[in-house]
Amino acid sequence: MRRTRSILLAALSLVLVSGAATVANATDSDTEAAAIAKKKTKCSPTQQAILDVPHRLFAAWDAADANTFAAQFTTDGHMIPSNGAYLTSRSQIATYFTGAFAGPYNGTRMIGKPSSVRCLTDDIAVIDGLGGILRPGDTYTDPEDVPIGQRIIVSWTAVRIDNVYYMKEFQSTNVQS
């Protein structure tokens, strides 16, 4: 019973957080957004729009483009990279990765694949996956082949705003063994 209550409270928190993200990302074209919202499809674990979010992140990482990387998050998105930094806005994410791409992540690439997609509501999906940060010269194409220390487990919460999914929460952890 306690576990069920904890799960329900966590799901409710995500619903409330996604509502705040929608307000935080609202535009002047609310009427147009409302029309689009009426036409949107329900969340589906195989929906390409959800699966595109990590691919947009990977492309921005591979281009070492901190601003495009950060633009894949809601304005109030949170990220906890595998080094434990705690980033609480799109601007903090952009600033962090501007330095990271000029420093420790210079020349790196990111690969990954979802292991599960769970729809919590029509507009919120949790994506779990396996990924890897590739060093210059690495040719891995499957995250399972990436060596320990470069391989990461990720959990992302994506929210839909105007029929586009963005990262709301991103957490990654280095695989230890």
Side-chain angles (χ1 to χ4, degrees):
M1 184 67 162
R2 282 190 167 157
R3 181 181 171 139
T4 302
R5 188 179 314 164
S6 295
I7 291 169
L8 288 173
L9 286 173
L12 178 59
S13 296
L14 284 173
V15 169
L16 293 173
V17 166
S18 73
T22 301
V23 170
N25 289 288
T27 65
D28 292 332
S29 60
D30 289 334
T31 306
E32 182 180 318
I36 292 170
K38 288 180 183 176
K39 296 179 185 177
K40 70 184 177 189
T41 59
K42 294 189 180 282
C43 179
S44 163
T46 59
Q47 187 174 347
Q48 193 60 46
I50 296 170
L51 301 175
D52 283 345
V53 179
H55 295 291
R56 293 191 322 254
L57 285 170
F58 302 155
W61 182 296
D62 293 354
D65 186 338
N67 290 322
T68 299
F69 186 86
Q72 306 316 307
F73 287 80
T74 61
T75 56
D76 60 346
H78 288 188
M79 180 177 191
I80 304 172
S82 57
N83 69 356
Y86 184 55
L87 311 171
T88 60
S89 69
R90 185 184 285 167
S91 64
Q92 283 185 359
I93 294 166
T95 299
Y96 174 86
F97 278 95
T98 296
F101 290 145
Y105 292 141
N106 187 17
T108 63
R109 294 179 299 115
M110 181 182 275
I111 62 170
K113 65 180 179 183
S115 56
S116 72
V117 177
R118 297 178 315 280
C119 294
L120 303 180
T121 71
D122 288 347
D123 297 314
I124 302 171
V126 175
I127 308 164
D128 292 331
L130 187 62
I133 299 172
L134 306 184
R135 297 178 180 141
D138 285 348
T139 58
Y140 305 106
T141 57
D142 187 332
E144 293 183 24
D145 296 332
V146 175
I148 300 299
Q150 291 175 249
R151 193 179 323 158
I152 56 176
I153 297 172
V154 297
S155 185
W156 303 312
T157 302
V159 297
R160 180 169 33 195
I161 301 168
D162 295 336
N163 260 356
V164 176
Y165 281 90
Y166 296 91
M167 289 294 170
K168 174 68 178 162
E169 303 287 335
F170 178 118
Q171 193 276 325
S172 63
T173 303
N174 285 326
V175 174
Q176 301 297 315
S177 59

